[in-house]
Amino acid sequence: MRGVWCDGAAVRFRGDLDEPRPAAGEVVLGVRLAGICDTDLQLARGYMGYRGVLGHEFVGELPGGQRVTAEINNPCGACPTCAAGRPGHCPGRSVLGILGHPGAMAERVAVPARNLHPIPDAIADEAAVFVEPLAAAFRMVEQVEPRPGMALAVLGDGKLGMLCAWAARESGATVHLVGKHPAKLALAGTGVATHLLADAERLGRPFDAVVDATGSPSGFPAALRLVRPCGTVVLKTTISARYEVDLAPIVIDEIRVVGSRCGPFPRAIAALASGVVDVRPLVGAEFPLDRAEDAFRAAGTPGSRKILLRP
Amino acid sequence: MRGVWCDGAAVRFRGDLDEPRPAAGEVVLGVRLAGICDTDLQLARGYMGYRGVLGHEFVGELPGGQRVTAEINNPCGACPTCAAGRPGHCPGRSVLGILGHPGAMAERVAVPARNLHPIPDAIADEAAVFVEPLAAAFRMVEQVEPRPGMALAVLGDGKLGMLCAWAARESGATVHLVGKHPAKLALAGTGVATHLLADAERLGRPFDAVVDATGSPSGFPAALRLVRPCGTVVLKTTISARYEVDLAPIVIDEIRVVGSRCGPFPRAIAALASGVVDVRPLVGAEFPLDRAEDAFRAAGTPGSRKILLRP
């Protein structure tokens, strides 16, 4: 089988991969399209020590042709964490293309049947690969509960920042997107106020909640400078490095900091199907699988849109 | 007037201080007893750039003899933060003995009348100086809402850690105190399970909430190692220094980190008056004001109990 292999130092196309071996409860999907995200770029550099086929943002099809995508966490279902209703945090879980489970940048992928979500006809393949990251954006919405009267700022004008801003836009809160690139901020569209970071810092600390979706060590300190006392900072950025921060403002201003990871697929699918969120401005170039190295290089270019791989 | 002066590099007794000049709405109290806390030790080393009379944990008396203590934040009452119901975070506030307002380590102190709380006869002066730090402990209880079925760990076997454990003890949660000093852990008394830190780290991650009351940069990373996924870490430690942390576990495990500062005086006073919290094991030596330098030296000794100053 053809696919994209990560050896912890780089990625490369391979034409000699084993076919997926479905475990009990798993089904094999034909992969139609997969997306490259920042986590893949980090995995390619050795983050989490993953060795195997990459890919956790994808749309595939069942043997009958039904288009589907799949949640990425495969919990054990039997441990105390699963029993406590937090299967996404199961210590024994595997994670599609990230931890102990071959991913979807390949011709075929095996996933647990219970993880499947059908993709409605209204969602093109190019949009369907955004279900997973848009679900992660809606996780932030679940945690912050933006509502009328609330001012929410999203830091980071990359793809995740944009998805977070769009996911919050229907809540009635005023949504602000703060970045460093006018051309990228311009993609936000109606209903989102955009600011350059330097300008936002001159506003004082007007925000009830600030989402760090920068992917940069500078994001968290900036979020702490922008959030009001007793406000909420949502951390979406995972940096695979230790770095210096001053935690005293968290205590003095009684800030709530909330880590945010995977989110509700149904909500993301509904938002894409209804057109409430239109991800087309974020779609970038498409590459065939055997040009995976070029595709990863393109995805690693600052400011790139979502790079897609077509098996 | 006699009192304890902080010049940002050290503290010293002075016999030549000006009498308090009460602002509109302020009353002048005779100070009966004041406590030295870690914040005072940090202020003495230059934290926050404070210059003036120290002291924010105290019991005083009104001209007629009524014993009182006072909340430490003096908000402006007119700004948007005050209007939003967060007067403790008013950007224009002064803070007794910490920021722009002379403190209580003196013969007399001026405080806003609206900040006063009477001290019931059941509370001795030596216990009344704990109202402010015990209120800060109850702030954590307000934020975490410990309840039956919940496992709460307090990191730090110093005075603040002990107060947090005691404040949570009546909630029905199982309360654990984690420290490094068997002799200090032994003060916890009934209703609190005690562990050495190394032993606690062998328990896995069993805690729904972990309070960092260590006063040390090692506290926050230890809290992240002990809290369960989706659990809560309460930061009580203010370190006046930047330090390296790895924030990725907050995102991956979706931890909630909550800064925690000042708390409800009435709840602390009620707990002391009823005997639900008995602070006598924490009371240390008492010094006269003119031995302030000796008192601060004693308070800075590792493991010291609460050092008191008697005007």
Side-chain angles (χ1 to χ4, degrees):
Chain A
M1 181 178 76
R2 296 177 300 118
V4 181
W5 186 261
C6 168
D7 66 9
V11 295
R12 62 189 166 96
F13 170 76
R14 282 176 59 176
D16 62 347
L17 295 174
D18 293 337
E19 285 290 329
R21 287 184 294 264
E26 288 192 338
V27 294
V28 176
L29 307 175
V31 177
R32 295 171 60 93
L33 196 63
I36 301 175
C37 90
D38 283 349
T39 301
D40 297 310
L41 298 175
Q42 292 190 49
L43 292 166
R45 290 194 294 264
Y47 176 56
M48 298 194 55
Y50 180 68
R51 304 284 180 276
V53 177
L54 287 174
H56 59 278
E57 301 178 353
F58 79 106
V59 54
E61 59 184 42
L62 287 164
Q66 167 70 53
R67 292 189 309 146
V68 293
T69 189
E71 304 208 29
I72 69 175
N73 290 293
N74 307 321
C76 77
C79 70
T81 301
C82 287
R86 293 182 289 274
H89 294 279
C90 167
R93 73 186 181 278
S94 66
V95 187
L96 187 70
I98 295 177
L99 177 69
H101 195 293
M105 294 181 189
E107 291 179 90
R108 285 167 290 281
V109 64
V111 297
R114 63 161 185 254
N115 283 12
L116 295 179
H117 293 271
I119 297 296
D121 292 342
I123 305 179
D125 284 353
E126 292 73 12
V129 298
F130 284 88
V131 167
E132 197 275 338
L134 183 58
F138 276 110
R139 175 62 177 155
M140 174 279 291
V141 171
E142 287 181 342
Q143 293 170 305
V144 170
E145 299 179 343
R147 52 199 173 274
M150 194 167 166
L152 172 77
V154 177
L155 298 190
D157 50 19
K159 293 177 283 294
L160 182 58
M162 204 65 73
L163 294 175
C164 286
W166 291 342
R169 196 172 41 184
E170 299 296 301
S171 65
T174 60
V175 178
H176 302 256
L177 184 68
V178 179
K180 294 181 174 175
H181 310 92
K184 293 163 77 177
L185 290 170
L187 299 180
T190 56
V192 176
T194 58
H195 313 269
L196 289 169
L197 177 59
D199 297 335
E201 297 205 332
R202 279 194 286 273
L203 296 175
R205 299 174 55 186
F207 301 112
D208 300 295
V210 180
V211 181
D212 171 19
T214 60
S216 156
S218 66
F220 183 55
L224 291 178
R225 287 195 299 274
L226 291 169
V227 72
R228 67 158 168 82
C230 299
T232 299
V233 170
V234 178
L235 284 186
K236 276 286 179 196
T237 294
T238 46
I239 306 282
S240 54
R242 296 163 58 86
Y243 60 99
E244 274 202 348
V245 292
D246 180 2
L247 298 177
I250 297 175
V251 182
I252 293 170
D253 294 329
E254 294 194 306
I255 306 299
R256 188 173 71 117
V257 179
V258 186
S260 180
R261 213 185 64 194
C262 300
F265 273 47
R267 202 163 170 181
I269 291 169
L272 291 170
S274 67
V276 161
V277 173
D278 178 359
V279 294
R280 284 175 296 182
L282 301 183
V283 175
E286 185 178 305
F287 291 80
L289 271 187
D290 60 9
R291 289 189 58 208
E293 285 144 79
D294 291 339
F296 269 73
R297 205 168 299 121
T301 306
S304 83
R305 300 187 188 188
K306 176 67 72 187
I307 301 298
L308 303 172
L309 285 164
R310 177 86 64 178
Chain B
M1 180 178 78
R2 297 176 300 117
V4 181
W5 186 261
C6 167
D7 65 10
V11 295
R12 62 190 166 94
F13 170 76
R14 282 177 59 176
D16 63 346
L17 296 173
D18 292 337
E19 286 290 330
R21 287 184 293 264
E26 289 193 338
V27 294
V28 176
L29 307 175
V31 178
R32 295 171 59 93
L33 196 63
I36 301 175
C37 90
D38 281 349
T39 301
D40 296 311
L41 298 175
Q42 292 190 50
L43 291 167
R45 290 193 294 265
Y47 176 57
M48 298 194 55
Y50 180 68
R51 304 283 181 278
V53 177
L54 287 174
H56 59 279
E57 301 177 354
F58 79 105
V59 53
E61 59 183 41
L62 287 163
Q66 166 70 53
R67 290 189 311 146
V68 292
T69 189
E71 302 207 29
I72 69 174
N73 291 293
N74 308 320
C76 76
C79 70
T81 301
C82 287
R86 293 183 290 274
H89 294 279
C90 167
R93 74 186 180 279
S94 66
V95 186
L96 187 71
I98 295 176
L99 177 70
H101 195 293
M105 293 182 190
E107 292 178 89
R108 284 167 291 282
V109 63
V111 296
R114 63 163 184 253
N115 283 12
L116 294 179
H117 292 271
I119 298 296
D121 292 342
I123 306 179
D125 284 353
E126 291 73 12
V129 298
F130 284 88
V131 167
E132 197 277 336
L134 183 58
F138 275 110
R139 175 63 176 154
M140 174 278 290
V141 171
E142 286 180 341
Q143 293 170 309
V144 170
E145 299 180 343
R147 51 198 173 274
M150 194 167 166
L152 172 77
V154 178
L155 299 190
D157 51 18
K159 294 176 283 293
L160 182 57
M162 205 64 76
L163 294 175
C164 285
W166 292 342
R169 195 172 41 183
E170 299 296 301
S171 65
T174 60
V175 177
H176 303 256
L177 184 67
V178 179
K180 295 181 174 175
H181 310 91
K184 293 163 79 177
L185 289 169
L187 299 180
T190 57
V192 176
T194 59
H195 313 269
L196 288 170
L197 177 59
D199 297 334
E201 297 205 332
R202 278 194 287 272
L203 296 176
R205 299 174 56 184
F207 301 113
D208 300 295
V210 180
V211 181
D212 171 19
T214 60
S216 156
S218 65
F220 183 54
L224 291 178
R225 287 195 299 273
L226 290 170
V227 73
R228 67 158 168 82
C230 299
T232 299
V233 170
V234 178
L235 284 186
K236 275 288 179 196
T237 293
T238 47
I239 307 282
S240 54
R242 294 164 59 87
Y243 61 98
E244 272 202 351
V245 293
D246 180 1
L247 299 178
I250 297 175
V251 181
I252 293 170
D253 295 329
E254 295 195 303
I255 306 299
R256 188 173 71 119
V257 179
V258 186
S260 181
R261 212 184 64 194
C262 301
F265 274 46
R267 201 161 169 182
I269 291 169
L272 291 170
S274 68
V276 162
V277 174
D278 178 0
V279 294
R280 282 175 298 182
L282 302 183
V283 176
E286 185 178 307
F287 291 79
L289 271 186
D290 61 8
R291 288 189 58 209
E293 285 145 80
D294 292 338
F296 269 72
R297 206 168 296 123
T301 305
S304 83
R305 301 187 187 187
K306 177 68 72 187
I307 301 297
L308 304 172
L309 285 164
R310 177 85 66 179

